[in-house]
Amino acid sequence: MIIHLKLEDYLAIVRHARETAPLEDCGLIGGRIDEATGEKFVEKVFFLTNTDHSEEHFSLDPKEQFAAVKELRAQGLDLLGNWHSHPATPSRPSEEDKRLAYDSRASYFILSLNGGEPVLNSFHIEKQTDVSKEDLRIR
C-alpha cells in the first residue's frame, strides 16, 4: 500500500505533536483512494483532543471525531485512518495500539519524537495482530 502525504501536512503533524508533548497527540487523516491502484492520497489532517491526556495512550474526542468525519463526507473525501504520536517510544504500534486497531482498512500513522529527528510511519493492522508497514511517501 502506497500512501502519499503532503510535506506541509507532515510538518504540521510534527509541529502539533511537539507542542503537545510529553502527552500523546492524535487525529484523523482523510483523503481519496485511487480505485485503479489502491494508493491513498491524504488531503486533510485533523488535530483532535486526546481525552486521556496521557503520555502513553490516547482516545479521540468523540464530538471532534464526528465533526471531522462529517466534514470529510461534505468534501467528498474518505476517512483513511488516524495518527498519533509516541513522544518517548519508537514509531511502531504498541500492544495497546494493536489491540485497539479495529478497522483493517485504516492506515495507522505513528509519529515518534523519541531521540531527535521525528520518524513517521504508517501501518496496516489486521485482526489486531498482523502488522505490516505501509509505503508512506512524503511529497
Side-chain angles (χ1 to χ4, degrees), residues 107-124:
S107 291
Y108 295 93
F109 284 21
I110 300 175
L111 173 71
S112 173
L113 299 175
N114 184 36
E117 287 300 310
V119 175
L120 179 65
N121 288 304
S122 181
F123 299 91
H124 174 260

Side-chain angles (χ1 to χ4, degrees), residues 6-139:
K6 296 175 196 162
L7 177 60
E8 64 194 57
D9 288 334
Y10 165 75
L11 294 173
I13 290 170
V14 170
R15 185 172 41 255
H16 201 271
R18 282 181 169 157
E19 291 169 0
T20 305
L23 302 179
E24 283 197 6
D25 200 6
C26 57
L28 295 176
I29 52 173
R32 56 189 174 80
I33 302 171
D34 184 308
E35 292 187 28
T37 65
E39 292 181 52
K40 295 180 179 180
F41 295 84
V42 177
E43 300 294 336
K44 182 80 175 170
V45 175
F46 293 92
F47 302 93
L48 305 183
T49 302
N50 176 355
T51 59
D52 292 341
H53 306 288
S54 171
E55 298 177 18
E56 297 176 355
H57 52 89
F58 74 99
S59 292
L60 300 170
D61 179 284
K63 289 181 183 176
E64 293 175 355
Q65 190 174 2
F66 179 76
V69 170
K70 187 175 178 181
E71 183 179 328
L72 286 174
R73 288 184 180 154
Q75 294 178 10
L77 299 173
D78 296 313
L79 177 62
L80 301 179
N82 66 54
W83 68 272
H84 73 279
S85 64
H86 282 183
T89 57
S91 175
R92 64 175 176 251
S94 66
E95 290 305 312
E96 181 173 299
D97 292 337
K98 290 186 269 188
R99 185 173 50 79
L100 296 174
Y102 291 107
D103 186 352
S104 63
R105 296 166 299 169
S107 291
Y108 295 93
F109 284 21
I110 300 175
L111 173 71
S112 173
L113 299 175
N114 184 36
E117 287 300 310
V119 175
L120 179 65
N121 288 304
S122 181
F123 299 91
H124 174 260
I125 304 173
E126 186 81 30
K127 297 181 182 174
Q128 303 173 5
T129 56
D130 183 20
V131 178
S132 57
K133 192 172 172 184
E134 297 178 318
D135 183 358
L136 178 60
R137 299 180 184 182
I138 299 171
R139 52 182 166 96

